Amino acid sequence: MVLWLLKKVATTSNNMHDLSDPIISINGLGPKAQEKLNAIGIYNLEHLLFHLPSRYQNKTKFASLNQAQVGTEILVQLTIDRIEEVPTRQRQLLCYLSDEHNRSLILRFFHFNQHQKQQLTRGDIIQCFGELKIGRDGLEMHHPEYRLISKGQPTLLEKTLSPVYPLTAGIHQPQLKKWIDIALETLKKSNLIDNFENLAKNPMPTLKQALHTLHHPKIDDNIDQIANFRHISQQRLIIEELCAQQLSLLKLKNERKLKISNIFKISDNLSNQLSDNLGFELTTAQQHSVDEINTDLSSNHPMLRLLQGDVGSGKTIVAVFACLQAVENGFQAAVMAPTEILAHQHFHGFSDYLEPLGIKTALLTGSQNSSERHEQLALINSGEAQVVIGTHSLFQETVKFNRLGLIIIDEQHKFGVHQRLSLAQKAHNTPHQLVMTATPIPRSLTMSAYADLDSSIIDELPPGRSPIQTVALANDKKDKVLEKIKQVCAQNNQVYWVCTLIEESEVLRAQSATNTLEFLQENLADLSIVLIHGKMNKQEKSDIMSRFSRGDIDVLVATTVIEVGVNVPNASLMVIENAERLGLAQLHQLRGRVGRGSEASICILMYQAPLSSNAIERLDILRQTNDGFKIANKDLELRGPGEILGTQQTGIANMKIANIVRDGYLLKQVNYYALEFLQFDENQQQALINRWITHDKTQYANT
Ligand code: ADP
Ligand code: MG
């Protein structure tokens, strides 16, 4: 306490500041304000500089009363004619003003004190700034900012536009303005590192210029551009922030490329055998991904590759080919799935491909009893199991691999980054990792949030698929849906009916799956209809899924447990209840459960009218396209990057100035500059990163 007092006295006595000084060194800024500003990430004077105005006021000239528009904010200089206190129920102070042409304006105060009233003297010159309103007796302003010029108060007239800052509770506009002005004064004299100054081909303003312009734009600066975040000074900052973001990820990528991993000698032996057994040819995109993966695996640096492909594009088989290379080189591969059902399905799928080649698989899930688990752990530990499929339980301490060389993570969006990395620590050399995602990620997000990964994209579906027709139907059209189900089942195809809640809930208007089951059983008496939901035990769920796969069940009534990865090609109709309540990505995932066979498939999105405009947009885009990348872009637009990536992902969801959706058009430039910065020395790179990325955001990368 004493210390900061001393420091404060010292700094205020000579009034010299440094941008790195803590804000408490500002005269008149006390511990309480400090705490409040710290809470919004402002610790030193430099941070104040990056707290940008949300809008501006024009106090650069006096308006004349006969030209000013009602509803706009204006600055006027007038004479006081008289003062009146109105004795209504709520007392009011009225101050009548006029200009030299006798046009009048009334100032109206609902709160005032006697001192204030006495200050206002007839004949005085007063300057007022506020919104012009129209009242019963003509033009008015309520509680304007005002100065009594005749009493020697300084003018309100400004040379530049005046900033209005976003506030935090307990901090007032004039205070914040004053403190930021101190930071701006300090900026004038300081040498704030301008990371972009030394870049060739950089047509942008310096950081100093950009900051001064944004805090105090000149009257001829383009305010519309600023309001739309398209001003070159904003672009200067946005590009720098995105650049810092990308640079930090690119550095991670480079660090990874310095690590040593096992070199796999790529062989055709097992791959050719698998190809012979497949019964189909890989698509060009699949083959391309296999090649890219093989190139990574044959280097002595760890692979970290994102394999993106729409639902049904055939990512699994690409993963199987990668496993073969691990096995051929004497390593184990671990395949991790986000749900128990999917782990089981992968186990069967992988085993079907691998066992004919003499490769031993193991399965590890949370629901196994202890003897099962023991048995599988022994297989994994001895190395007898060459490919291990599992859920999160693969992460546990007790799981000891013999020679783990490759990790494959399916449906990446269900996993946090921490989990991805903790599995990586199970091997002596950093293992190669392949991360598969069925939620295509918009390119702008890949570049900004996943710049640390390499990426392969499967952008075509296997041949012979007929596109899914998607229709939206209001809940009162259930008859039509029943008809459709009968038709589909008469042709020996199967149906998914997805409910979004297990229990009835009045509030959410959600259909309970149990009610739906009964409803369907009553109306479709000839069909075999079975319910599956998340609260069933694992064995039950797995049995039901097997029966559905075999075709023993006509209609599977499910909660969203079937969302991820389930593959039953004979299912050709998907009904989704309460579709208006689900996100685009989730709906697209669900819809991807059909359209996997040669049969023309239909997806019916049922909704409760009336729909919000956002819901209409969401359902429309699904009806218009089956292209997961287009849908992902729309999702990004509607929900923003934070929602799509999940909270534990990188800092791109809460950047200071940039917004990946709004500023996507700048990414090409960002990319260019980020690569330039990679050539700079370490200190310069770190300075850029530190300015924009707080420590806790990058921490995950080092765990
Ligand atoms: P996803 O990318 O959603 O994980 P899957 O790997 O489950 O897709 O594949 C979906 C279906 O497509 C599976 O039945 C698979 O056997 C089949 N498939 C994959 N690749 C091809 C191909 N090149 N030609 C024909 N069918 C394929
Ligand atoms: Mg899959």
Side-chain angles (χ1 to χ4, degrees), residues 309-316 342 345-346 410-411 436-438 564-567 589 593 596:
D310 215 340
V311 273
S313 60
K315 294 180 291 293
T316 315
L342 194 60
Q345 181 170 301
H346 271 336
D410 195 12
E411 317 291 359
M436 300 196 282
T437 170
V564 167
V566 175
N567 188 29
Q589 282 290 309
R593 299 309 110 214
R596 302 193 147 226

Short mmCIF file of all heavy atoms in Angstrom, two decimals, residues 309-316 342 345-346 410-411 436-438 564-567 589 593 596, ligand 2:
data_model
loop_
_atom_site.label_atom_id
_atom_site.label_comp_id
_atom_site.label_asym_id
_atom_site.label_seq_id
_atom_site.Cartn_x
_atom_site.Cartn_y
_atom_site.Cartn_z
N GLY A 309 -13.84 -34.29 -43.62
CA GLY A 309 -14.67 -34.83 -44.69
C GLY A 309 -16.09 -34.84 -44.20
O GLY A 309 -16.35 -35.08 -43.02
N ASP A 310 -16.97 -34.57 -45.11
CA ASP A 310 -18.38 -34.53 -44.77
C ASP A 310 -18.83 -35.89 -44.25
O ASP A 310 -18.16 -36.89 -44.48
CB ASP A 310 -19.15 -34.17 -46.04
CG ASP A 310 -20.35 -33.31 -45.72
OD1 ASP A 310 -20.79 -33.33 -44.55
OD2 ASP A 310 -20.83 -32.62 -46.62
N VAL A 311 -19.95 -35.91 -43.57
CA VAL A 311 -20.51 -37.20 -43.13
C VAL A 311 -20.66 -38.12 -44.34
O VAL A 311 -21.14 -37.70 -45.39
CB VAL A 311 -21.89 -37.06 -42.46
CG1 VAL A 311 -21.73 -36.78 -40.99
CG2 VAL A 311 -22.71 -35.98 -43.12
N GLY A 312 -20.22 -39.34 -44.20
CA GLY A 312 -20.38 -40.32 -45.26
C GLY A 312 -19.33 -40.25 -46.35
O GLY A 312 -19.39 -40.99 -47.32
N SER A 313 -18.34 -39.38 -46.19
CA SER A 313 -17.34 -39.23 -47.25
C SER A 313 -16.31 -40.37 -47.20
O SER A 313 -15.49 -40.48 -48.10
CB SER A 313 -16.65 -37.88 -47.15
OG SER A 313 -16.00 -37.75 -45.91
N GLY A 314 -16.36 -41.18 -46.15
CA GLY A 314 -15.45 -42.32 -46.09
C GLY A 314 -14.12 -42.03 -45.42
O GLY A 314 -13.06 -42.36 -45.94
N LYS A 315 -14.18 -41.46 -44.24
CA LYS A 315 -12.95 -41.18 -43.51
C LYS A 315 -12.40 -42.45 -42.85
O LYS A 315 -11.20 -42.62 -42.72
CB LYS A 315 -13.21 -40.11 -42.43
CG LYS A 315 -13.55 -38.75 -43.01
CD LYS A 315 -13.79 -37.72 -41.94
CE LYS A 315 -15.06 -37.98 -41.15
NZ LYS A 315 -16.29 -37.81 -41.92
N THR A 316 -13.34 -43.33 -42.44
CA THR A 316 -12.91 -44.50 -41.67
C THR A 316 -11.87 -45.32 -42.43
O THR A 316 -10.83 -45.69 -41.86
CB THR A 316 -14.13 -45.40 -41.35
OG1 THR A 316 -15.19 -44.56 -40.89
CG2 THR A 316 -13.78 -46.42 -40.30
N LEU A 342 -20.18 -45.70 -30.88
CA LEU A 342 -19.28 -45.54 -32.01
C LEU A 342 -18.01 -46.37 -31.83
O LEU A 342 -17.48 -46.93 -32.78
CB LEU A 342 -18.94 -44.07 -32.21
CG LEU A 342 -18.30 -43.77 -33.55
CD1 LEU A 342 -19.21 -44.15 -34.70
CD2 LEU A 342 -17.95 -42.30 -33.65
N GLN A 345 -18.97 -49.77 -32.82
CA GLN A 345 -19.11 -49.86 -34.27
C GLN A 345 -17.75 -49.86 -34.97
O GLN A 345 -17.52 -50.65 -35.88
CB GLN A 345 -19.96 -48.71 -34.77
CG GLN A 345 -20.15 -48.79 -36.28
CD GLN A 345 -21.18 -47.81 -36.75
OE1 GLN A 345 -22.33 -47.84 -36.34
NE2 GLN A 345 -20.76 -46.92 -37.62
N HIS A 346 -16.87 -49.00 -34.51
CA HIS A 346 -15.53 -48.98 -35.09
C HIS A 346 -14.81 -50.29 -34.83
O HIS A 346 -14.08 -50.79 -35.68
CB HIS A 346 -14.70 -47.83 -34.50
CG HIS A 346 -14.84 -46.54 -35.26
ND1 HIS A 346 -15.22 -46.49 -36.57
CD2 HIS A 346 -14.64 -45.26 -34.87
CE1 HIS A 346 -15.25 -45.23 -36.96
NE2 HIS A 346 -14.91 -44.45 -35.95
N ASP A 410 -11.38 -39.82 -33.75
CA ASP A 410 -12.53 -39.65 -34.64
C ASP A 410 -13.45 -38.57 -34.07
O ASP A 410 -13.60 -38.45 -32.87
CB ASP A 410 -13.30 -40.96 -34.76
CG ASP A 410 -14.27 -40.94 -35.94
OD1 ASP A 410 -14.17 -40.00 -36.77
OD2 ASP A 410 -15.12 -41.83 -36.02
N GLU A 411 -14.05 -37.79 -34.95
CA GLU A 411 -15.05 -36.79 -34.56
C GLU A 411 -14.45 -35.83 -33.55
O GLU A 411 -14.85 -35.76 -32.40
CB GLU A 411 -16.29 -37.47 -33.98
CG GLU A 411 -16.75 -38.66 -34.73
CD GLU A 411 -17.31 -38.33 -36.12
OE1 GLU A 411 -17.36 -37.15 -36.51
OE2 GLU A 411 -17.67 -39.25 -36.82
N MET A 436 -9.79 -36.80 -37.01
CA MET A 436 -10.83 -36.80 -38.05
C MET A 436 -12.03 -36.00 -37.60
O MET A 436 -12.48 -36.15 -36.47
CB MET A 436 -11.30 -38.22 -38.33
CG MET A 436 -10.19 -39.14 -38.80
SD MET A 436 -10.86 -40.63 -39.54
CE MET A 436 -11.31 -41.56 -38.10
N THR A 437 -12.53 -35.15 -38.45
CA THR A 437 -13.73 -34.45 -38.08
C THR A 437 -14.78 -34.50 -39.17
O THR A 437 -14.48 -34.31 -40.34
CB THR A 437 -13.47 -32.98 -37.68
OG1 THR A 437 -14.72 -32.32 -37.57
CG2 THR A 437 -12.61 -32.28 -38.70
N ALA A 438 -16.00 -34.77 -38.75
CA ALA A 438 -17.10 -34.86 -39.70
C ALA A 438 -17.84 -33.54 -39.76
O ALA A 438 -18.76 -33.37 -40.54
CB ALA A 438 -18.06 -35.96 -39.29
N VAL A 564 -23.48 -39.33 -33.90
CA VAL A 564 -22.13 -39.38 -34.41
C VAL A 564 -21.76 -40.73 -35.02
O VAL A 564 -21.81 -41.74 -34.37
CB VAL A 564 -21.15 -39.03 -33.26
CG1 VAL A 564 -19.74 -39.37 -33.65
CG2 VAL A 564 -21.27 -37.57 -32.91
N GLY A 565 -21.47 -40.71 -36.30
CA GLY A 565 -20.76 -41.83 -36.91
C GLY A 565 -21.51 -43.12 -37.21
O GLY A 565 -20.96 -43.98 -37.89
N VAL A 566 -22.72 -43.30 -36.73
CA VAL A 566 -23.39 -44.58 -36.94
C VAL A 566 -23.62 -44.82 -38.42
O VAL A 566 -24.01 -43.95 -39.16
CB VAL A 566 -24.72 -44.63 -36.17
CG1 VAL A 566 -25.47 -45.91 -36.48
CG2 VAL A 566 -24.47 -44.50 -34.69
N ASN A 567 -23.39 -46.07 -38.85
CA ASN A 567 -23.44 -46.37 -40.28
C ASN A 567 -24.36 -47.55 -40.57
O ASN A 567 -24.00 -48.69 -40.38
CB ASN A 567 -22.02 -46.66 -40.77
CG ASN A 567 -21.96 -46.80 -42.28
OD1 ASN A 567 -22.76 -46.20 -42.99
ND2 ASN A 567 -21.05 -47.61 -42.76
N GLN A 589 -25.19 -33.45 -39.12
CA GLN A 589 -24.67 -34.74 -38.64
C GLN A 589 -25.76 -35.80 -38.62
O GLN A 589 -25.57 -36.91 -39.08
CB GLN A 589 -24.14 -34.58 -37.21
CG GLN A 589 -22.80 -33.92 -37.11
CD GLN A 589 -21.72 -34.83 -37.62
OE1 GLN A 589 -21.64 -35.98 -37.23
NE2 GLN A 589 -20.94 -34.33 -38.54
N ARG A 593 -26.83 -39.64 -41.23
CA ARG A 593 -27.05 -41.07 -40.94
C ARG A 593 -27.77 -41.75 -42.09
O ARG A 593 -27.74 -42.97 -42.21
CB ARG A 593 -27.87 -41.29 -39.66
CG ARG A 593 -27.29 -40.76 -38.36
CD ARG A 593 -25.89 -41.20 -38.14
NE ARG A 593 -25.00 -40.06 -38.29
CZ ARG A 593 -23.79 -40.13 -38.79
NH1 ARG A 593 -23.28 -41.26 -39.17
NH2 ARG A 593 -23.06 -39.04 -38.89
N ARG A 596 -26.66 -43.22 -47.09
CA ARG A 596 -25.40 -43.97 -47.08
C ARG A 596 -25.46 -45.17 -48.01
O ARG A 596 -24.46 -45.80 -48.28
CB ARG A 596 -25.09 -44.44 -45.67
CG ARG A 596 -25.00 -43.26 -44.73
CD ARG A 596 -24.41 -43.61 -43.41
NE ARG A 596 -23.68 -42.44 -42.96
CZ ARG A 596 -22.47 -42.46 -42.46
NH1 ARG A 596 -21.83 -43.59 -42.29
NH2 ARG A 596 -21.87 -41.35 -42.10
MG MG B 2 -17.17 -41.60 -39.28
#
